Amino acid sequence: MLTLQATMLASFQGKGGLDANRMNAVTGMVVCVLILALGVSMIRYAFKNQKDN
């Protein structure tokens, strides 16, 4: 995903004036939030199944 982003930024860099550092930061934050949400949901699922047994 980051390779695709880097390729897109390199190919469209002169046209839209995209800030590569800002786009990398936003993408990194989104990935971190998704991983955090996945971890929390897995922990909740584990505790729910533990109580049922």
Side-chain angles (χ1 to χ4, degrees), residues 1-7 9 18-32:
M1 186 159 149
L2 289 174
T3 304
L4 175 62
Q5 176 186 338
T7 304
L9 287 174
L18 294 172
D19 185 17
N21 289 333
R22 185 178 300 159
M23 291 298 292
N24 286 336
V26 169
T27 303
M29 285 261 265
V30 169
V31 169
C32 286

Side-chain angles (χ1 to χ4, degrees), residues 6-17:
T7 304
M8 287 175 47
L9 287 174
S11 64
F12 298 120
Q13 190 171 13
K15 298 178 182 173

